[in-house]
Amino acid sequence: MPRMPKRVKFRKEFRRASRVSDRKATKGNYVAYGEFGLQALEPCWLTARQLEAGRIAAQHFLKRQGKVYIRVFPDKPVSKKPLEQRMGKGKADTDYWAARVKPGTMLFEIAGVPEEVARGTLVRIARKMPVRCRFVGRRLAV
Amino acid sequence: MQATHTLQAERREKKGSRYAKRERSAGKLPCVLYGQGKDPAHLSLDHKEAIRFFESGERVFNIELSEESKTQTVLLKDLQFDYLGTNVVHCDLIRVNLDDVVEANVHLHLVGDAKGLKTAGAVLVQKMNEIPVTCRVSDIPDEIRLDISGLGADEHMTAGEITLPEGLKLDCDPETVVVIIDVKAESEDEGTEGEAITAEGSEPEVIKAKKDDDDDEPKKKEK
């Protein structure tokens, strides 16, 4: 089931595309819960369907091993007018929900499996993602 | 952890992001040295050498400034990373004496095969990778080894159960879960793409503004 918020304050939202695209992730950009992670290298709006496709790909490969953490949540409503609709008449209904992804954002994390299995899983998830991603481990801690 | 390695440092004449960027491109690591009531000093270390020591788990070093002959003992306090979280771009060093009592995070290394992992669907989840401790600088260990071989399915170990080396005092809630063997339920996280399509179209609940309702009520009373 694709993820979406249970309750929202406002049904529709401004796009805010240009302000996000050129910025880098300053939070959620390191492996926090698992041992390995999949990091986005480009900005995008990651749809709930793409996120779900990644999760399912991971589960099919893992076969009940390990634990997968999803680090982003699609909380941005994106509206779309129906086909052949004339312009105007107000903002359209929400078509899908998306997560704002900046370069550096950690998308998925995995724990409880060896590195080769984690790499295999995250490569399969990466194929479902609309942006270039890379496999990372835990960073140096003080 | 005794200060065994000496890092060569140079004083940075100009500070600020522009000059720090130039230092990095020249193979240096900008850092700041502070503590013991003295003025902070802006230094630069050799990037490769410093990272090699940091990665080996060392936290206490001797710093030798190029223009000064004497060395001083320093403790690695903080690291700053770039947006991808891989390259160290800056570090904080604090002046210490080996007898000083400091707070430090020590890496936790799990040892042994937990018996609970033989259960179907069991996953070892390490909630804490570093453990905060208070100890003398000379007593800071490189890592703490935690034996998990006795851990069964659906069991956990708390911070209070870790046997700390002598001189170390735990600096967090002893009830904090450090490692847990999580057993997945049969139906948990099972999902197919068919389900995803059927679930679409549902909309989240909109939170109505409560302020408007509150404002209306007093007006009615006035009337």
Side-chain angles (χ1 to χ4, degrees):
Chain A
M1 187 174 166
R3 300 168 135 219
M4 70 165 82
K6 283 179 187 160
R7 301 166 78 217
V8 288
K9 201 163 180 183
F10 302 103
R11 206 179 287 274
K12 293 167 191 174
E13 201 177 271
F14 290 157
R15 289 179 65 83
R16 290 177 181 171
S18 60
R19 293 172 69 188
V20 173
S21 60
D22 57 341
R23 299 196 180 171
K24 311 271 194 319
T26 54
K27 53 187 176 181
N29 58 352
Y30 60 94
V31 178
Y33 301 102
E35 289 148 28
F36 306 100
L38 186 74
Q39 192 176 39
L41 298 174
E42 292 168 0
C44 72
W45 282 351
L46 189 63
T47 69
R49 270 176 166 239
Q50 289 161 345
L51 210 55
E52 182 67 9
R55 190 187 69 84
I56 291 168
Q59 270 181 5
H60 284 183
F61 184 74
L62 281 173
K63 289 178 184 151
R64 292 174 53 76
Q65 293 178 75
K67 192 171 176 124
V68 176
Y69 298 88
I70 304 175
R71 291 287 309 277
V72 287
F73 187 81
D75 61 344
K76 179 179 178 57
V78 181
S79 64
K80 190 176 186 302
K81 282 188 187 292
L83 289 176
E84 299 185 0
Q85 173 85 42
R86 287 181 185 275
M87 290 297 108
K89 308 288 179 206
K91 194 174 171 80
D93 289 335
T94 302
D95 185 42
Y96 61 91
W97 291 82
R100 301 165 194 87
V101 172
K102 295 178 185 178
T105 306
M106 201 60 65
L107 304 175
F108 286 85
E109 285 181 23
I110 190 163
V113 288
E115 187 177 342
E116 303 88 67
V117 180
R119 197 177 280 275
T121 311
L122 294 175
V123 162
R124 275 161 181 80
I125 299 175
R127 285 184 197 148
K128 303 286 180 188
M129 296 295 115
V131 285
R132 281 190 307 126
C133 300
R134 68 169 190 171
F135 175 85
V136 286
R138 281 193 163 271
R139 74 182 187 186
L140 204 61
V142 181
Chain B
M1 188 189 287
Q2 296 283 352
T4 50
H5 289 103
T6 304
L7 288 170
Q8 297 293 330
E10 286 170 22
R11 203 173 282 276
R12 276 188 288 152
E13 296 300 324
K14 290 176 178 173
K15 50 191 179 181
S17 60
R18 181 185 293 181
Y19 301 106
K21 201 174 176 181
R22 286 177 194 172
E23 292 275 336
R24 280 180 214 118
S25 60
K28 302 280 181 186
L29 176 66
C31 70
V32 62
L33 174 67
Y34 50 79
Q36 293 185 340
K38 294 176 188 169
D39 288 337
H42 300 274
L43 311 173
S44 65
L45 306 171
D46 183 61
H47 193 280
K48 274 189 182 172
E49 188 189 26
I51 297 299
R52 198 176 72 239
F53 292 140
F54 298 162
E55 281 179 348
S56 65
E58 292 189 37
R59 297 287 174 266
V60 185
F61 306 95
N62 285 320
I63 282 268
E64 192 178 314
L65 281 169
S66 53
E67 61 263 34
E68 292 171 26
S69 57
K70 64 174 184 178
T71 60
Q72 46 191 328
T73 312
V74 296
L75 173 71
L76 180 64
K77 188 74 179 166
D78 193 23
L79 289 173
Q80 281 179 28
F81 294 85
D82 62 350
Y83 74 101
L84 290 173
T86 41
N87 293 328
V88 178
V89 292
H90 187 270
C91 69
D92 281 20
L93 302 169
I94 186 164
R95 295 183 189 101
V96 286
N97 292 321
L98 289 175
D99 293 335
D100 287 352
V101 176
V102 291
E103 291 171 0
N105 286 329
V106 183
H107 182 68
L108 207 57
H109 185 71
L110 303 184
V111 189
D113 293 327
K115 61 182 181 185
L117 285 177
K118 288 167 188 164
T119 315
V123 181
L124 178 75
V125 180
Q126 192 175 352
K127 298 265 183 187
M128 288 174 84
N129 285 281
E130 290 92 35
I131 189 146
V133 291
T134 308
C135 62
R136 292 195 317 164
V137 173
S138 55
D139 292 342
I140 301 174
D142 286 342
E143 62 178 22
I144 293 174
R145 288 174 162 258
L146 178 61
D147 185 19
I148 54 159
S149 51
L151 208 60
D154 267 334
E155 286 180 1
H156 64 268
M157 282 186 95
T158 57
E161 291 173 49
I162 301 170
T163 333
L164 294 174
E166 205 174 321
L168 266 70
K169 194 180 153 195
L170 191 68
D171 201 19
C172 68
D173 183 11
E175 294 301 312
T176 313
V177 175
V178 173
V179 59
I180 186 165
I181 298 206
D182 199 6
V183 181
K184 282 186 193 172
E186 281 288 322
S187 59
E188 195 187 328
D189 285 344
E190 292 292 326
T192 59
E193 286 172 67
E195 275 178 18
I197 295 160
T198 54
E200 275 185 16
S202 55
E203 280 202 8
E205 179 195 345
V206 179
I207 305 164
K208 287 178 184 171
K210 285 181 182 176
K211 279 186 179 177
D212 296 342
D213 300 339
D214 296 340
D215 293 343
D216 292 343
E217 281 173 19
K219 283 177 188 173
K220 283 173 190 173
K221 282 174 189 174
E222 281 169 21
K223 284 176 187 177

